[in-house]
Amino acid sequence: MASNPRITIVIPVRGNDEKNEGYDIAGASLAAQTYQDFKLVVVPDQGKGAPWARNEGFKQCDTEFVLFSDNDISWKSHALDTMLAVLSRTPRAAYCYGRYQIGELIVGHHFFDPARLLCGNYISTMSLLRSADFHGFDESLKKFQDWDLWLTLLLKHQKRGVYCNDLIFTTEVKPGITWKGDLTAQEGLDIINQKHKLNLPEFSQDFVKS
């Protein structure tokens, strides 16, 4: 860890102890970053879910930027350098995101477009944010917490993101909040519709894979 880091990286893990679920994939790829001016905060979710753990981790953030990383993310070695450079060149942007590969699928290859964001999410949780612009994840949501974050920044705070136009990480398809859970995708969309006063049609995979 750098002595005066610019980035706090928060990694939520399942359970009551960070040893219960390792972060070998994310940890190894972060150790290989060309940019090393960051500190790492690992937060067990204590059964309260990743949004709670991310918010708890942010309480330890005293840096200019914050990055929330799932523990199974394999970051490209240039990812931090790339996102920080683009965000530094775009002072009016609140966050920087890139495209990523999940299984065989490339996701999120879109320049920032508010109209597109209002119709579906294309921005990963794994985006570099200015700490001053982060207002927390909505812990009451069971789906689409990342989309909700970007919508809240756009609609409530008039904050936009910027696309770094690069592949920044890979991950594997596995059961999780988006892919499986007690709440259906349509129910999750209905909640987003109501919260943000949208009028979106029935759910389709385009909402999360556009």
Side-chain angles (χ1 to χ4, degrees):
M1 183 182 74
S3 57
N4 292 293
R6 294 188 71 193
I7 301 173
T8 297
I9 301 177
V10 178
I11 301 181
V13 296
R14 292 191 178 99
N16 297 316
D17 187 326
E18 65 187 57
K19 295 180 181 179
N20 288 350
E21 181 181 341
Y23 54 98
D24 293 347
I25 296 175
S29 62
L30 289 170
Q33 289 294 299
T34 55
Y35 184 88
Q36 287 290 314
D37 192 9
F38 64 84
K39 72 174 185 178
L40 194 62
V41 176
V42 179
V43 186
D45 72 4
Q46 301 186 32
K48 299 178 182 180
W52 177 87
R54 293 178 186 123
N55 288 340
E56 284 296 301
F58 184 72
K59 293 178 182 178
Q60 301 181 47
C61 178
D62 56 1
T63 56
E64 184 179 1
F65 304 97
V66 62
L67 176 69
F68 299 99
S69 174
D70 290 350
N71 65 344
D72 59 352
I73 296 301
S74 180
W75 292 95
K76 296 296 186 181
S77 62
H78 60 275
L80 294 183
D81 255 329
T82 297
M83 289 191 292
L84 184 59
V86 172
L87 196 53
S88 296
R89 294 197 303 266
T90 319
R92 297 183 66 181
Y95 57 93
C96 181
Y97 65 96
R99 62 185 176 274
Y100 59 98
Q101 184 171 347
I102 180 167
E104 299 298 320
L105 184 67
I106 301 295
V107 183
H109 182 36
H110 297 292
F111 288 92
F112 187 79
D113 179 355
R116 180 186 287 272
L117 188 62
L118 291 173
C119 293
N121 191 32
Y122 54 91
I123 301 171
S124 167
T125 304
M126 274 58 74
S127 301
L128 185 67
L129 294 103
R130 298 186 193 278
S131 299
D133 289 322
F134 177 68
H135 303 284
F137 287 94
D138 186 342
E139 297 172 24
S140 72
L141 296 180
K142 303 302 181 185
K143 283 187 184 293
F144 307 139
Q145 298 98 333
D146 49 359
W147 187 23
D148 172 72
L149 176 64
W150 314 132
L151 287 173
T152 298
L153 282 171
L154 177 65
L155 299 174
K156 186 175 181 180
H157 302 284
Q158 293 75 54
K159 296 290 185 176
R160 298 183 171 215
V162 60
Y163 179 48
C164 72
N165 196 18
D166 204 348
L167 182 73
I168 58 172
F169 69 83
T170 64
T171 189
E172 296 301 320
V173 177
K174 71 173 188 177
I177 289 172
T178 298
W179 302 96
K180 183 180 180 182
D182 297 333
L183 196 72
T184 69
Q186 184 60 54
E187 289 169 334
L189 177 60
D190 291 342
I191 292 170
I192 293 292
N193 267 332
Q194 182 176 12
K195 178 176 179 179
H196 294 286
K197 298 180 173 59
L198 305 178
N199 188 28
L200 297 176
E202 291 185 0
F203 176 84
S204 75
Q205 286 300 317
D206 291 338
F207 284 112
V208 291
K209 295 183 181 179
S210 56

